[in-house]
Every structure is written in C-alpha cells, then in structure tokens.
Amino acid sequence: METMAGGVGLFDYNNDGLLDIFFTNGAQLPIMDKSDPKFHNRLFRNNGNGTFTDVTAQAGLEGAYYSIGVASADYDNDGHQDLFVAGANGFQLFHNNGNGAFTDVTEKAGLRRVHPQLAQTFSVAGGWFDYDNDGFLDLIVVNYLKWSAQSDVRCMNKGVTAYCSPDSYEGVPNLLFHNNGDGTFTDVSEASGILKHIGKGMGVAFADYDGDGFIDMLVSNDTLRNFLFHNNGDGTFTESGIISGISYNEDGKSVAGMGIDFRDVDNDGLPDIVETDMFGDSYLLFKNLGKGLFEDRSLSSGITAASLKLTGWGTGIYDFDNDGWKDIFTSNGAILDNSDVLDHLPYKLRNCLLRNNRNMTFSDLASQAGGGFSSVAAHRGAAFGDINNDGRIDIVVNCLNDIPELLINRGPENHNWILLNLVGNRSNRDGLGARVMIRSAGGVQHNHATTSVGYGSSSDKRVHFGVGLDSQIEKIEIIWPSGVRQSLGKTAVNQILTIHEPQSSQTGPA
C-alpha cells in the first residue's frame, strides 16, 4: 500500500465559494499506527489570496487507518460537503457539521458492518452517485486486494527485494451502500449484483453512457479486466464490460488499470472513457459508439505514443484551455521505488497534458505547459477544479514522499467559459449525475456533474465549459437525476452560475 498513496480532494468545506484541499496520508507500518502527526490526513483551507491554512486539527480530519482515497459529496442534503476516506483495513465517513468541524459517523451510518468476505482487505477509492434517483447519494467502495499485515508476503524480483505483484494476492468484490435518507446506509452489495464480481479495483467513474436516465458505474481493475456496471433501473446492475468492449484493450488483454474518467471528449453527446495504466500497456481511450458499445481508439488518437513508457495514476478529461474541447491530463510515476534497477525505467516521471485536436486525436503539450510539467516526481492522485474562480481548471497532484503540486492554470485569457453550480431539489442537492448540454456559436457541448475522477481523488462538483471566443451561450439544457428537464436561454459567459432544480420541467431563467 505504501506504493499507492494517495488521493486528493477538492471541495468547498466551509461554503465560502472557494475550493479547499484535502490530502490522504499513510500510517506507520506494519502496526498501522496513524497517531504521529506526520501520518495525519490534511485539510487546507483556501484563503482566497493564493495561500492555504492547515485546518486539519480543528476540522477533526486526522483520520485512522492507512488512508489512500477520498470522495466528497453532500450525502445528507444539508448543504455541507461530507467526506469518505478509503484505506487499508478500514474506511471512514466524516459528516460535515457546518461549523468548520467534521464528525466520524462511520458506525452510526451503518458502514462498519463489512461483509465477511472482505474482512482482510483494503479500499482504494469511493464514489458518490444516486443509482436509484431517490434524491440521496449512494456510496460505492472500491476494494483492491485481500490483505492483512499479518499475512503479507515477501517477493523477490531479479534477485532484488521488491514489492509484490498484484498477482500475489486474491482479488475481492466492491461494496455498494444504499442511502436510506436518514443518515444511515444499507449494504446492498449482494442484492444489487455487485458482490459477485471479483476484481482488484483502483478507480471508479460514473456516467449515463446509454442515456436511459440511470447512472452507470465504471471500475478499473489492476491486471484484471475492467467492469462496466450497467444500471438496470430496478436496484440491480449488470456487468457489461465484455459485451460493451471496455474490459480489454484492442489486443484483447487486460491492463494494470488505475485512474479513469468517463466523459464526452468529442462533443457527440456520448461519454467516452480514458484510463491510465502501467508502462508497456499504454493509456486507453474508448470511444462511445452508442447503443452500449465502445471502441478502443488509443492507438489512432496518439495516446499510445504519448504514454507507452509511462505509468499513470490520476487522470481527468477537462477543457484546460477553454477552447470548447476537453483535453486529458495524467499524473505519472513508476510503481516501484527501485524501478531503475528492476525495469530500467525512472521512478520519478513528468505528468502529461494531451490537447484535444478536435478530431479524436491528441497532442502531448506537457513540454509547453510551464514549469509545473517539467518537474518529475512519484505522482499519484490528482484532483481538478477552479481554485481561484477565474474560469480555468486547476490541478492538485499528490506526490509520494514529496511536496504536492499545485498547478494553477494560466491558459488563454481571451477564451470564455462558464461554471455551473447545480443545486438539486427533487434530485440530490449536489446535482451529481445531472447531464448538461450547452450551445454557443462554436457548437454543442456535453458534460455531467460528478466528483469521482481519476485515481483515489475527488474533484470540484461544479460543471465547467470553455467556449473559446464565443461571447454568449445561446442555450443551456439540464436533465436532472429526478428526470426534470430545465432549459435556459441566452446566458452571459465568464460567470459562476448557480442553477436550482425546478419542481417540474421548465424553460426560462435560472
């Protein structure tokens, strides 16, 4: 697990309109002790002037276990962002009290009752989504391996002590908890059909890939095939990875899947998939063909050439230059700290920035993206959001045993944008799962509200669009998880617009 930490969360914990930063952190091994402050998770409050203040202690977020992943959302619809923290030998749910402090409600919420099959395991990620559209966010816990400190194994590679391959451990299923709407959750892993699928989960992302009104779930697995859980709309899921074409790469092989994002990259209204993995596999781009089918476009898109010698963790599909086309970021770093000896490849790597060429191909622009992309590190999780509210998507990257990276976007100032802050009414308050379409002179774009992006990380819940030189948005259409459809007419650009879900479908102002 010490090769895998850690995740990053970007969320506004105190409702001051500014994104704050949360980092997961490890523990002393093998005793799994987190009492030393150097192992505490960390929450940094955004001061609004380019600086941050460590407020971990007053927030009560030091944490327990060997923390790896984080997922933020308002699970009880009280207007405050809560935190789920995944880790080895346990996970925690922190309720935001609204006064700058959090309370560990894991047991009270009913999340301590873990299936016996998962007694010795650790979770890498979590994700919030409303799978039954009842207005309350449910929780998926992505589990990696069957593991305990007492039963851990020692491995050798080429005569050198090394961290073991995932092949040395048994895979495990993931867990799904249904939100009861009263602050508690019910384990529906078995009833939903999730529990019977054994994997080695690393990443989770959500999208309604077939447009049936129910949010679907994508899980990347390490060395095993990917899972695409199709939401049947009746509380159950059907694993459709093989028939959809996303379980394996175009060579029919599974990869060491890590971070994923599930978003429309070619503006055709269908969410596509980007996945990072280990060197030698190349990162994957699956184009959504419609009718539940995907095609591996990694080679033809240029992503294979850009990533063949890289190992990637975090990833995000965002319009970083606000030209109206979503680009791709990946945070990179080798797995093994002695990879130079074992694999003859550097341990510390630079990150990738792949610009969308508007024809389903991408160009690696990292060398032109400033000093933040020239530094090498053991990069891990990455989170995305507009930290200074200037309309440009920034990036925070966690680095293993190193200083994290805060990448402030200084992209084209003449490119316009809009940031939509969705507030659900019949739907969950965060509006997660809402599908958004905008139309401007430059064309039509699609996006959706989610915080589950990349590897073990949680991003800004607001929905971002760049519109290039277009001076006005002609139309905004939102399909809320409740099924309510909302249409807005001409809208000014370069603003953060809060949109409240109406009681029923309507056309008119926000």
Side-chain angles (χ1 to χ4, degrees), residues 2 13 29 31 77 79 130 170 172 208 210 240 248 255 291 301 323 340 349 362 372 394 423 438 442 445 448 488 509:
E2 56 265 45
Y13 86 97
L29 297 176
I31 60 175
N77 293 336
D130 185 2
E170 294 180 43
V172 289
D208 181 4
D210 57 354
S240 305
Y248 306 100
V255 300
K291 299 182 179 179
S301 69
D323 68 347
D340 56 337
L349 301 172
F362 294 81
D394 309 301
V423 181
I438 72 165
Q445 297 182 56
H448 62 276
L488 286 70

Side-chain angles (χ1 to χ4, degrees), residues 279-294:
F279 75 90
D281 288 328
S282 92
Y283 304 159
L284 298 178
L285 170 62
F286 292 103
K287 175 176 169 52
N288 190 333
L289 303 177
K291 299 182 179 179
L293 300 176
F294 292 79

Side-chain angles (χ1 to χ4, degrees), residues 212-233:
D212 65 355
F214 292 93
I215 199 78
D216 308 298
M217 177 170 53
L218 174 68
V219 176
S220 61
N221 286 304
D222 191 358
T223 71
L224 301 179
R225 67 180 181 87
N226 295 324
F227 293 150
L228 179 59
F229 291 104
H230 177 263
N231 189 334
N232 300 321

Side-chain angles (χ1 to χ4, degrees), residues 86 197 265 311 345:
H197 297 283
V265 302
T311 293
L345 290 171

Side-chain angles (χ1 to χ4, degrees), residues 129-134 136-139 176-179 186 188 192 214-215 231 233-237:
F129 72 128
D130 185 2
Y131 74 83
D132 56 355
N133 292 339
D134 67 349
F136 292 93
L137 291 171
D138 310 299
L139 175 67
L176 180 62
F177 293 95
H178 177 261
N179 190 332
T186 298
V188 294
S192 65
F214 292 93
I215 199 78
N231 189 334
D234 59 1
T236 67
F237 292 80

Side-chain angles (χ1 to χ4, degrees), residues 162-181:
Y163 292 106
C164 297
S165 160
D167 297 335
S168 301
Y169 304 88
E170 294 180 43
V172 289
N174 302 307
L175 289 170
L176 180 62
F177 293 95
H178 177 261
N179 190 332
N180 300 323

Side-chain angles (χ1 to χ4, degrees), residues 87-169:
N89 276 15
F91 46 74
Q92 292 179 282
L93 177 62
F94 292 97
H95 177 262
N96 188 332
N97 303 327
N99 60 358
F102 292 75
T103 300
D104 184 343
V105 295
T106 315
E107 188 167 353
K108 180 181 178 182
L111 298 181
R112 289 282 188 221
R113 297 187 295 274
V114 176
H115 196 279
Q117 190 175 351
L118 300 172
Q120 291 183 321
T121 185
F122 67 89
S123 52
V124 172
W128 296 102
F129 72 128
D130 185 2
Y131 74 83
D132 56 355
N133 292 339
D134 67 349
F136 292 93
L137 291 171
D138 310 299
L139 175 67
I140 180 75
V141 180
V142 178
N143 293 308
Y144 186 45
L145 299 169
K146 186 176 182 180
W147 179 92
S148 72
Q150 295 73 31
S151 63
D152 202 10
V153 295
R154 180 176 179 178
C155 295
M156 302 291 289
N157 187 336
K158 300 176 183 178
V160 177
T161 300
Y163 292 106
C164 297
S165 160
D167 297 335
S168 301
Y169 304 88

